[in-house]
Amino acid sequence: FAATIALAQTDIKRVLAYSTVSQLGYMFLGCGVGAFASGMFHVTTHAFFKALLFLGSGSVILALHHEQDMRRMGGLAKYLPITYWTMLAGCLAISGIPPLAGFFSKDEILAATFGTHALPVSMGQILWAVGLLTALLTAFYMTRLMGLTFWGEPRWAAAHAHHGKDDVHGHHGEPKESPPSMTVPLMILAVLSVVGGFIGGFAPLHIPNRFEAFLEPSAGLKVLGKQALGHLPVSVEWMLVWASVAAAVLGIWFGWVRYRRGLPENERELTGVRKVLYNQYYYDWLMVKGVGLWLGGRIANWMWQFVDVRLVDGLVNGIAGFTGWVGSSLRRVQTGYVRNYAFTILIGAIVLLVWLLIRGASAGLAR
């Protein structure tokens, strides 16, 4: 769901934001099939390359004087070489290209999903197919991000001149690489994105998973049991590895073919399916106007009419009315004449005397 939304976003940070939502789905998928350590491993590798990509996007935005629309970028590879090459490493890592970090963690989750015994028969294979499709979409929209930002002809000069951003921000000339305070962390994160996956081992080659061993006391299969994770034959594991790599390569190839020259002409305006994806399937509109205003308004109106007016106000007004009625009734005996009060006392005394006589007679008969 989130991966398809990322396909049509034009804001570089929104692409990465929806990518993060998509990768969270991988983490929950791993935990859902019992591969808790694999899910946590993807959290770790994802921290490497997604931090790299967000910081790299910040470097691009800084170079373009706070421009975030990728349609107004392009051709930045030669102007921001460190940002470009480090973001390219992050792009390949999140796409699942071996031997980068994302490949190992994604492969673990997909293999665990394919062979899980924690779900009904064939459900694991269906979820594996969904995960594989998501891997292809991830590789495609990340290649799209790189193409629109760094490849093709520069579009930022015309965009900035049209919007007057050079004059507003006081910047002139070509984009410049970010200072070391940004490029050094980019390079460190790029190294981690390349080699960070080796701490997780590799099952087809029988390389031990030191990360899983480290998490065993807290992330072991204490709830589902060891039988929840199936043990796949080595041939099946290699088949899953090649399928995962093929999906990543195919997604990158599709992205390269479409975006290697920068922004395609038919994507300059949002129309058709791209408009639907750009607007997140109109989920926000549905939640705000559909559920929030229409359904929520009717529920609020019913709560006001029934709960507030009839129950709450009715109870409060009822108590107040009863109190007023009691007060009005008692007010009639407050005449201010002594003779009336004396008469009332006499009547009370007679009633009390009669009650005592009846009680005494009843006690005598009981004996």
Side-chain angles (χ1 to χ4, degrees):
F1 182 77
T4 59
I5 295 175
L7 294 174
Q9 298 305 306
T10 57
D11 187 316
I12 187 172
K13 291 176 70 176
R14 285 172 69 92
V15 175
L16 298 177
Y18 282 108
S19 171
T20 300
V21 176
S22 176
Q23 296 304 307
L24 285 171
Y26 267 111
M27 301 167 199
F28 279 100
L29 177 62
C31 294
V33 300
F36 302 122
S38 299
M40 291 299 298
F41 183 35
H42 195 58
V43 172
T44 304
T45 59
H46 180 261
F48 297 152
F49 48 72
K50 190 52 65 68
L52 166 62
L53 292 168
F54 265 114
L55 185 59
S57 70
S59 177
V60 171
I61 293 168
L62 179 64
L64 293 181
H65 321 315
H66 307 284
E67 178 62 74
Q68 296 184 203
D69 193 333
M70 294 185 297
R71 293 173 297 182
R72 299 170 185 164
M73 297 181 184
L76 290 174
K78 66 178 181 179
Y79 299 103
L80 312 175
I82 298 177
T83 301
Y84 171 67
W85 288 107
T86 53
M87 284 192 70
L88 182 61
C91 174
L92 295 175
I94 195 174
S95 299
I97 297 297
L100 280 70
F103 161 75
F104 293 99
S105 56
K106 276 189 179 182
D107 177 70
E108 277 193 15
I109 292 175
L110 290 175
T113 303
F114 188 89
T116 184
H117 294 158
L119 298 174
V121 178
S122 299
M123 183 58 68
Q125 286 75 24
I126 294 174
L127 292 177
W128 171 82
V130 173
L132 193 67
L133 176 62
T134 304
L136 187 149
L137 294 176
T138 300
F140 178 79
Y141 68 67
M142 289 308 304
T143 306
R144 172 179 179 268
L145 181 147
M146 295 297 296
L148 294 182
T149 304
F150 295 103
W151 304 338
E153 295 298 321
R155 300 178 299 278
W156 38 267
H160 282 213
H162 177 71
H163 289 81
K165 288 201 171 187
D166 285 351
D167 294 333
V168 172
H169 294 280
H171 294 290
H172 300 277
E174 299 175 344
K176 297 180 180 179
E177 184 62 90
S178 297
S181 59
M182 295 184 70
T183 55
V184 171
L186 281 173
M187 290 184 285
I188 294 173
L189 290 169
V191 171
L192 291 173
S193 298
V194 172
V195 303
F198 289 100
I199 62 174
F202 190 52
L205 294 179
H206 305 290
I207 301 175
N209 192 329
R210 292 182 293 274
F211 188 85
E212 183 176 2
F214 172 74
L215 290 179
E216 177 63 29
S218 58
L221 285 170
K222 298 177 181 178
V223 178
L224 299 178
K226 292 290 185 182
Q227 67 277 8
L229 289 179
H231 297 282
L232 299 173
V234 175
S235 59
V236 175
E237 289 184 346
W238 276 112
M239 180 195 72
L240 299 178
V241 167
W242 287 114
S244 175
V245 174
V249 171
L250 195 61
I252 292 174
W253 183 77
F254 284 147
W256 167 257
V257 170
R258 182 165 179 79
Y259 297 104
R260 69 181 185 275
R261 293 187 178 91
L263 180 67
E265 190 64 31
N266 62 351
E267 286 196 24
R268 295 183 183 275
E269 300 294 335
L270 293 169
T271 57
V273 176
R274 280 193 299 276
K275 187 175 182 179
V276 175
L277 297 178
Y278 177 82
N279 289 289
Q280 308 107 51
Y281 298 97
Y282 295 98
Y283 176 81
D284 290 345
W285 178 88
L286 179 63
M287 290 295 103
V288 173
K289 294 189 176 180
V291 176
L293 296 180
W294 184 81
L295 180 60
R298 279 159 174 74
I299 294 175
N301 188 58
W302 178 83
M303 293 289 288
W304 166 63
Q305 290 185 343
F306 181 77
V307 177
D308 190 30
V309 175
R310 296 187 181 182
L311 292 183
V312 178
D313 289 353
L315 180 62
V316 172
N317 295 334
I319 293 174
F322 176 75
T323 304
W325 175 80
V326 172
S328 298
S329 300
L330 293 177
R331 187 176 61 183
R332 296 175 182 177
V333 301
Q334 302 294 325
T335 62
Y337 295 110
V338 176
R339 62 179 180 270
N340 290 344
Y341 299 150
F343 179 72
T344 302
I345 293 172
L346 177 62
I347 295 299
I350 293 173
V351 172
L352 180 60
L353 181 60
V354 171
W355 180 76
L356 290 173
L357 290 174
I358 293 174
R359 183 179 180 184
S362 299
L365 292 174
R367 293 175 182 175

